[in-house]
Amino acid sequence: MRAKSLSLVLLALLAGGCAGNQSGQPQAGDTRFVAGDGKMQVFAVSERKPAPAVQGPTLDGGSASLAAHKGKVVVLNFWASWCGPCRAEAPVLKEVAAKTKGAGVEFIGVDFKDRQADALAFERTEQTGYPSIYDQPGKVALAFQGTVPPAAIPSTLVIDEQGRIAARALGAVKYTDLMNTVTKVRDE
């Protein structure tokens, strides 16, 4: 009976999407958590704002920054291992990253409010093929306040070749939406 109860609790946590139970993470019913539909919102060129400086240590022990990819389109994805929609969209991001890399598009993940061991396990499982900044305190996410609500996980931004925020999605992205947006921004 105890195993059945444990299974039900685990199922309830998974069904809760990004509502985690680790300290400092959004909780079920937390008004700070922002859900989204994953649709890409493309900003007109005249309305684009410069992306803030993004840099930090990566989960694999290196470092990553937007500045290192100046002149390229960059897809910035905010995720966490405890987020169900993040897990669901990971194969989409991996596939679009692989298909657009040869065209000069770069991907950077931002692991948000996560335990490093859990994030590393997520990366080993998903094998994304691109680096992720370890942003446990959420400083990178806060730098985008006004464009991305700090608790909107997952969120994806497309940064154009001039370093401006060209598009965003709040929630898990769909393959066609992301591929079409990346291609459109790259071809501008």
Side-chain angles (χ1 to χ4, degrees), residues 84-103:
C86 298
R87 290 182 177 279
E89 78 173 354
V92 167
L93 293 161
K94 178 181 178 176
E95 187 173 349
V96 174
K99 288 186 175 183
T100 59
K101 187 158 184 75

Side-chain angles (χ1 to χ4, degrees), residues 172-184:
V173 294
K174 311 292 184 282
Y175 176 86
T176 303
D177 292 344
L178 182 59
M179 181 61 92
N180 289 345
T181 302
V182 168
T183 301
K184 178 181 179 177

Side-chain angles (χ1 to χ4, degrees), residues 9-60:
V9 169
L10 289 173
L11 182 61
L13 287 173
L14 289 173
C18 290
N21 65 352
Q22 296 177 5
S23 176
Q25 294 176 356
Q27 302 293 310
D30 188 338
T31 57
R32 295 175 299 156
F33 174 72
V34 178
D37 61 9
K39 292 195 184 330
M40 296 298 303
Q41 176 185 5
V42 180
F43 301 110
V45 173
S46 62
E47 296 175 13
R48 294 180 186 172
K49 296 179 178 152
V54 171
Q55 63 182 12
T58 58
L59 286 166
D60 65 4

Side-chain angles (χ1 to χ4, degrees), residues 41-121:
Q41 176 185 5
V42 180
F43 301 110
V45 173
S46 62
E47 296 175 13
R48 294 180 186 172
K49 296 179 178 152
V54 171
Q55 63 182 12
T58 58
L59 286 166
D60 65 4
S63 64
S65 69
L66 277 180
H69 303 295
K70 188 175 181 180
K72 293 184 176 185
V73 171
V74 178
V75 176
L76 196 63
N77 175 257
F78 295 86
W79 64 275
S81 66
W82 43 264
C83 167
C86 298
R87 290 182 177 279
E89 78 173 354
V92 167
L93 293 161
K94 178 181 178 176
E95 187 173 349
V96 174
K99 288 186 175 183
T100 59
K101 187 158 184 75
V105 177
E106 299 291 335
F107 276 59
I108 300 173
V110 180
D111 178 39
F112 174 82
K113 298 263 185 199
D114 211 348
R115 288 190 281 230
Q116 192 165 14
D118 294 340
L120 287 166

Side-chain angles (χ1 to χ4, degrees), residues 41-53 66 143-148 157-168:
Q41 176 185 5
V42 180
F43 301 110
V45 173
S46 62
E47 296 175 13
R48 294 180 186 172
K49 296 179 178 152
L66 277 180
F144 286 94
Q145 195 165 9
T147 302
V148 174
L157 298 173
V158 179
I159 312 298
D160 67 17
E161 293 175 344
Q162 289 77 39
R164 301 171 300 184
I165 302 167
R168 76 169 177 198

Side-chain angles (χ1 to χ4, degrees), residues 123-158:
E123 281 209 331
R124 275 192 306 275
T125 300
E126 298 302 332
Q127 298 181 5
T128 60
Y130 54 86
S132 283
I133 294 171
Y134 181 58
D135 187 34
Q136 205 293 321
K139 290 180 182 178
V140 175
L142 283 174
F144 286 94
Q145 195 165 9
T147 302
V148 174
I153 301 296
S155 292
T156 303
L157 298 173
V158 179

